[in-house]
Amino acid sequence: MSSLPRRAWILAFSAILSLPLFTPLTTTALFAQTAAGRSTLSGTVLDPSGNVLPSAAILLKDDAGSLIRKATADSQGHFSIAGLPAGRYTVSATAPGFSTAVQRSVPLLADQAKDLSFSLSLGNFSQQVTVEGGASNSIAARLAPMGAPLDARSARTEVNANFIQNFTAPTADYGELVAMVPGTVTTNGNGVGLGQSDTAFRGFADGNYDIDFDGIPFYDTNTPTHHSWAFFPSQWIGGVDFDRSPGTASTIGPTPFGGSIHLLSKPMSPERNLRGGFSYGSFNTVLFDGSFDSGNFGGYNKRSNLFIDVHHMTSDGYQTFNRQTRNAGSLKYQYKLSDKTVLTGFAGVIWLDSNSPNLSSTRAQLLANGDNYLLQNTDNTRANFYRYNYYHVPTDFEYIGVNSQLGRGWSLDFKPYTYNYDNSEFYAKQPKGGAPINEDVCAIPVKKISPCAVDKYNSYRKYGETLAVSQTSGRGIFRTGLWYERAATNRHQFPSNPFTLKDDVLPNFSEKFWTNSYQPYAEYQYMATRKLSVSAGLKFAYYTMALQQFADNGGKIGSVNPVTGKPFTVVYNSVDYHSWLPSIDANYRIKPNWSVYAQASTGSVVPPSNVYDTAGALVGTPPKPQTSTTYQTGTVVKLKRVTFDADFYHTRFQNGYSSSTDNNPDSPLYGESIQYISPSSITLGGEFESSIYLGRGLSLYLNGTRGKATYVGTLTVYSPDGSTSNPLVVKAPSGLWVSGTPTDTEAEGLTYQERGWNVGIFNKRVGSQWEDNGAYHNQLRDDPYSVSNAFINYTIRGHSHFDQTKIRLSVNNLLDSHNVTSVKPGGALVAAPLTVAGLTYVNPFVGTTTSSPGYTGGRNLADNPNLLPGRSIMLSVTFGFSPER
């Protein structure tokens, strides 16, 4: 371990040990007082709408600090603490998603029964879980692993903390936390949390939706994609709010296009607890984790609260020579400046190292070497050798949040933030023609590109702020605010020699660029009646980019101006993009436990930086941002033993970018790239999910989707060899399926949750889908596949020094399936027998050959399939210690 991670560990543990773990409390005195007392404090906990809040946590302390009692509100929001001596008490009530309510110095006389009432206000967005007043009597809702809220204005699924802590592997990343959400597909070929996972839903791949953490968007600067292995492990996450729509005007981020995944940090606990855990499992995976909840502390008013988590993970991974090491730590601190203002600080650091190569296995390699083949440890094979492939990725993420109730219904939430991604990567390449990799071969450049390795670097630092101001009145809620962010990026790739580590003179590409994002918005949620709310809003998305691209070897822009024929060393470009994004929605509460909603909203995706990766970086006509328009309607109902929600959606969205070069010498755009958006497509379908309480702690969870996504419309572009006065009309391939969109998905889960046990088995089935290589559609149809996971947890709860101690068994891919999850087509079909590693294979999947390199309905031994990782089993033991008992 390097010196920097070691220093981070020492500082983190020093911070934990420096905090007061014990209070002046003697067990004998506590029990003596309890036994002697005959007074009772009881009460009810309500949400802002006056509905009861079940399972709220109650903490009672006497003002002398010698007696502490705890209780949990029942299904009617009621609690009672008996056997109390006369005195003065401080009583606090807490529920996830709500601010803590405190009543101080409550007098209690001898033999008195006193009743209190708590009304909890909503916490800030980072802690918010929807108020389920109408579902307060729903046992099914309380035990459901996920589900839609009654106040939903679009298709939403909230993944709760119970599911994250008990029904996912301890190594899971945030993409794997949402794998069971309706219509969602998450894959990771190296094992759960052991590499970069990919998540898609409704046909929207990563880069076509937002992800934020505590309301702060995060994404790459060159394209709005995400790195699940380098940000926000599951140890930092307290819940996920998954909105499968562009959202409302107040939904900020670079890509409110297909939807938003809102990651929520863990809420602050009023109870002090120290936990340390160890996990060991398949693929030689080891995880150490330690966390500390301070509870409320700091003087008489106890206005401070602190949460710390540190962990260390290593794994060989399922795939050969795809090793992972991660050191991570996070800290969250809250200080209550007053009863109306809370200050929150968060900091998270990750130090990631990996042997992941920049390649994927072919069908032929998998047939010859096994389903887990990725690399071989040899210098003279057609595969790359693992010791010349590595990632080094440190990241950090910090914010300070101020949430304040300003009076007269006004509130403010302000978060300045910064985060950094720094990726140093080195990966080997196979010499052309399959020559053995050796020092002589690697010293000879082949066609401008060194044959053996690439030295890659991608780094950016961002600074930004989110500002949300709202005013609640008798007629509704007005919201306005602004998201602003600026970023500086440095990227390059140099051909390199893995033996000498010497880079070539000219890079494949080298660039620096600076971006600015502005998104002001305003919306109003009008309470037309007590049952009907209607919201309308408008957001302006504005994005600027300034690029500095250096001459290269032709991998991107080259070193010669294609128009003048003169060499250059650097090219400067700047561009701005903007979109107006309106939204409107309505929610009608038919009954307290039954609502319906409808929504129409728009989203956009800013173009990536590679728009300027053309000869000479000459772009005459940059593209406009991709846009989407979504219409949705749905319903949510929560009965005592059954919850059910369903939605129907229709989205028209524009796809990626294409370009042609104007080669007419008489054109003002001669030699320049004409950028345009590829054909539009329509995705439509239906989704449902349901939770059914069977009794005796048993619950059944179900969801399913059915839909399609096909290309439509026509497209006008300039002919590559014509002039701007002679446009070429290209008809989009109407009716063909958009790749990566399953026809259907289904999920089933059976759970038992009672007396400290959390036992569950979940299965996700993904229907068939088409694949293509970008230019040719519907080349290859993937078969359906399923994956099943099982979990057994036992947690010590209640009045014990070892509260929250847990034993946890996780089994992913229970049936050890090795199905193909997706395929990157490898080119034209090979109909003749092929010899691999001395064995002859006949390709039985020959389909109809079209113009090379495309084909329809076939499978090729040169394809790059992604497979489910094999079965993994992990046993975890977490020791909890709560001194305040």
Side-chain angles (χ1 to χ4, degrees):
M1 188 183 299
S2 67
S3 60
L4 183 55
R6 186 178 297 112
R7 289 196 296 270
W9 282 85
I10 293 172
L11 289 173
F13 281 115
S14 298
I16 293 176
L17 295 175
S18 68
L19 291 165
L21 292 181
F22 297 95
T23 58
L25 166 65
T26 64
T27 304
T28 303
L30 188 155
F31 281 102
Q33 288 179 332
T34 301
R38 295 187 296 173
S39 301
T40 301
L41 266 176
S42 58
T44 304
V45 185
L46 307 173
D47 66 33
S49 302
N51 301 302
V52 298
L53 272 176
S55 303
I58 310 300
L59 178 64
L60 176 147
K61 296 182 181 181
D62 73 339
D63 285 4
S66 60
L67 187 148
I68 301 171
R69 297 286 293 278
K70 298 176 182 179
T72 302
D74 61 19
S75 61
Q76 302 300 316
H78 185 265
F79 69 91
S80 181
I81 303 175
L84 297 172
R88 289 184 174 273
Y89 294 88
T90 295
V91 188
S92 62
T94 304
F98 297 87
S99 299
T100 301
V102 181
Q103 295 190 35
R104 305 184 187 280
S105 295
V106 177
L108 187 64
L109 304 178
D111 301 319
Q112 181 186 15
K114 193 177 187 71
D115 193 66
L116 305 175
S117 179
F118 289 89
S119 180
L120 273 59
S121 60
L122 284 173
N124 59 37
F125 182 81
S126 67
Q127 300 172 311
Q128 195 173 114
V129 177
T130 304
V131 182
E132 295 288 13
S136 60
N137 294 320
S138 175
I139 303 174
R142 293 202 301 273
L143 296 178
M146 60 193 75
L150 281 164
D151 66 350
R153 295 146 61 187
S154 60
R156 284 171 56 196
T157 295
E158 293 177 335
V159 181
N160 59 40
N162 182 54
F163 178 81
I164 295 171
Q165 295 167 7
N166 295 304
F167 301 125
T168 62
T171 55
D173 64 30
Y174 60 75
E176 288 145 345
L177 300 184
V178 300
M180 291 294 161
V181 169
T184 302
V185 180
T186 298
T187 57
N188 187 342
N190 200 38
V192 177
L194 304 181
Q196 179 73 32
S197 69
D198 292 312
T199 298
F201 58 95
R202 294 184 178 179
F204 293 102
D206 190 16
N208 287 332
Y209 54 81
D210 282 338
I211 302 181
D212 57 62
F213 181 81
D214 282 357
I216 297 171
F218 80 97
Y219 57 99
D220 266 6
T221 50
N222 56 304
T223 182
T225 54
H226 309 86
H227 296 288
S228 65
W229 65 344
F231 287 97
F232 313 119
S234 59
Q235 287 79 4
W236 302 2
I237 299 175
V240 183
D241 185 354
F242 196 154
D243 186 352
R244 300 183 300 279
S245 83
T248 69
S250 60
T251 302
I252 58 174
T255 52
F257 185 75
S260 295
I261 299 177
H262 305 296
L263 308 177
L264 313 176
S265 64
K266 290 187 174 181
M268 308 302 286
S269 172
E271 304 176 13
R272 183 170 299 172
N273 191 272
L274 177 66
R275 293 178 297 279
F278 170 77
S279 303
Y280 180 78
S282 302
F283 323 137
N284 194 29
T285 302
V286 179
L287 173 67
F288 295 94
D289 182 72
S291 63
F292 174 69
D293 289 296
S294 70
N296 298 322
F297 71 95
Y300 172 76
N301 293 323
K302 298 187 182 302
R303 295 178 180 272
S304 294
N305 201 312
L306 176 69
F307 171 75
I308 297 175
D309 179 87
V310 291
H311 75 262
H312 169 73
M313 185 194 77
T314 61
S315 178
D316 291 340
Y318 172 69
Q319 296 170 321
T320 55
F321 301 110
N322 193 357
R323 298 168 181 170
Q324 313 283 319
T325 300
R326 184 177 69 215
N327 297 291
S330 68
L331 181 151
K332 183 178 179 181
Y333 174 76
Q334 275 191 349
Y335 181 75
K336 195 171 184 180
L337 295 170
S338 69
D339 290 340
K340 296 183 177 181
T341 302
V342 177
L343 180 70
T344 302
F346 179 89
V349 177
I350 291 179
W351 194 277
L352 175 71
D353 291 282
S354 169
N355 289 116
S356 300
N358 196 1
L359 54 75
S360 55
S361 303
T362 64
R363 288 188 192 273
Q365 290 171 329
L366 295 171
L367 284 169
N369 301 290
D371 288 345
N372 68 332
Y373 175 81
L374 187 64
L375 288 174
Q376 286 187 354
N377 182 20
T378 152
D379 288 359
N380 57 3
T381 177
R382 296 194 64 176
N384 298 313
F385 35 99
Y386 82 95
R387 63 189 178 193
Y388 301 121
N389 295 271
Y390 61 83
Y391 278 86
H392 176 62
V393 189
T395 67
D396 65 81
F397 185 96
E398 297 85 22
Y399 75 78
I400 297 175
V402 179
N403 183 274
S404 183
Q405 306 299 314
L406 304 176
R408 297 183 180 274
W410 287 93
S411 66
L412 175 145
D413 191 281
F414 177 65
K415 287 193 184 82
Y417 65 87
T418 181
Y419 63 93
N420 176 69
Y421 176 81
D422 195 88
N423 174 14
S424 299
E425 180 183 359
F426 193 94
Y427 59 90
K429 294 171 62 69
Q430 175 63 41
K432 293 184 180 298
I437 297 177
N438 56 53
E439 295 189 49
D440 292 334
V441 172
C442 291
I444 304 172
V446 178
K447 293 184 178 179
K448 304 180 183 178
I449 300 176
S450 181
C452 289
V454 172
D455 180 3
K456 176 181 176 182
Y457 184 67
N458 180 18
S459 177
Y460 55 81
R461 165 67 68 180
K462 296 189 177 185
Y463 299 92
E465 58 88 13
T466 66
L467 172 66
V469 178
S470 65
Q471 199 268 335
T472 303
S473 65
R475 301 307 299 172
I477 304 173
F478 170 72
R479 301 181 184 93
T480 187
L482 170 71
W483 170 52
Y484 168 69
E485 180 180 276
R486 66 184 185 276
T489 302
N490 182 12
R491 302 173 68 238
H492 64 244
Q493 288 187 17
F494 279 85
S496 186
N497 186 316
F499 296 94
T500 64
L501 300 182
K502 182 178 180 180
D503 292 346
D504 285 359
V505 175
L506 286 177
N508 297 333
F509 72 83
S510 179
E511 63 184 4
K512 296 180 179 179
F513 57 87
W514 297 263
T515 57
N516 289 272
S517 300
Y518 308 82
Q519 282 187 8
Y521 65 86
E523 69 178 31
Y524 188 72
Q525 184 175 357
Y526 175 58
M527 305 302 297
T529 69
R530 293 187 61 183
K531 296 183 176 182
L532 175 64
S533 70
V534 179
S535 304
L538 181 65
K539 173 170 53 191
F540 180 63
Y542 184 72
Y543 181 86
T544 69
M545 178 179 288
L547 299 103
Q548 183 180 15
Q549 293 174 278
F550 298 94
D552 60 40
N553 58 22
K556 295 296 183 182
I557 66 172
S559 58
V560 177
N561 186 305
V563 176
T564 65
K566 296 181 179 180
F568 64 84
T569 56
V570 64
V571 177
Y572 297 91
N573 276 299
S574 63
V575 64
D576 62 82
Y577 306 100
H578 64 273
S579 302
W580 292 95
L581 303 175
S583 68
I584 186 170
D585 59 71
N587 178 286
Y588 181 71
R589 191 69 67 95
I590 299 174
K591 292 184 177 182
N593 62 349
W594 183 15
S595 66
V596 293
Y597 63 84
Q599 178 200 41
S601 59
T602 55
S604 67
V605 180
V606 296
S609 63
N610 64 16
V611 164
Y612 286 87
D613 291 344
T614 63
L618 296 174
V619 178
T621 306
K624 296 179 180 179
Q626 296 171 256
T627 58
S628 67
T629 303
T630 298
Y631 303 95
Q632 298 190 98
T633 184
T635 185
V636 182
V637 60
K638 303 206 173 186
L639 306 176
K640 185 172 183 178
R641 288 178 169 266
V642 178
T643 70
F644 178 81
D645 61 84
D647 65 87
F648 299 92
Y649 62 90
H650 178 286
T651 301
R652 185 184 182 108
F653 63 94
Q654 296 166 315
N655 290 280
Y657 304 97
S658 300
S659 65
S660 62
T661 303
D662 192 333
N663 293 321
N664 183 357
D666 298 327
S667 169
L669 300 179
Y670 172 62
E672 298 188 6
S673 173
I674 310 299
Q675 300 277 336
Y676 54 89
I677 296 177
S678 296
S680 294
S681 57
I682 288 180
T683 175
L684 55 88
E687 304 164 329
F688 86 91
E689 61 183 330
S690 177
S691 184
I692 304 166
Y693 178 63
L694 303 175
R696 298 184 180 274
L698 281 172
S699 296
L700 179 66
Y701 173 77
L702 303 168
N703 74 46
T705 68
R706 182 74 180 180
K708 66 176 184 178
T710 53
Y711 292 98
V712 296
T714 59
L715 177 69
T716 301
V717 299
Y718 293 118
S719 171
D721 57 354
S723 69
T724 56
S725 61
N726 183 26
L728 172 67
V729 178
V730 179
K731 291 187 179 295
S734 180
L736 291 183
W737 203 273
V738 177
S739 68
T741 308
T743 56
D744 60 286
T745 68
E746 296 81 31
E748 308 88 23
L750 181 66
T751 62
Y752 173 78
Q753 301 174 77
E754 199 166 277
R755 297 187 178 93
W757 288 96
N758 287 274
V759 181
I761 182 168
F762 291 83
N763 179 74
K764 184 67 173 277
R765 178 187 178 275
V766 179
S768 60
Q769 56 186 321
W770 285 100
E771 304 285 0
D772 64 51
N773 66 359
Y776 298 89
H777 300 290
N778 296 185
Q779 290 176 277
L780 177 65
R781 193 176 184 90
D782 298 333
D783 293 331
Y785 69 90
S786 297
V787 61
S788 300
N789 307 318
F791 307 92
I792 301 175
N793 306 264
Y794 179 72
T795 305
I796 297 175
R797 295 192 178 100
H799 300 287
S800 166
H801 280 288
F802 299 100
D803 185 39
Q804 302 303 311
T805 293
K806 176 187 288 191
I807 299 174
R808 182 177 183 183
L809 177 67
S810 308
V811 184
N812 287 85
N813 194 359
L814 180 66
L815 303 180
D816 197 25
S817 300
H818 293 259
N819 299 84
V820 173
T821 60
S822 62
V823 178
K824 180 181 178 181
L829 285 170
V830 178
L834 181 68
T835 300
V836 180
L839 299 175
T840 300
Y841 299 91
V842 177
N843 187 351
F845 304 109
V846 177
T848 303
T849 302
T850 62
S851 57
S852 181
Y855 56 86
T856 301
R859 300 180 183 180
N860 191 303
L861 291 173
D863 291 339
N864 297 118
N866 297 308
L867 299 138
L868 289 171
R871 181 193 298 117
S872 62
I873 303 173
M874 178 160 283
L875 178 65
S876 306
V877 180
T878 301
F879 296 96
F881 183 66
S882 298
E884 292 186 351
R885 296 293 177 190

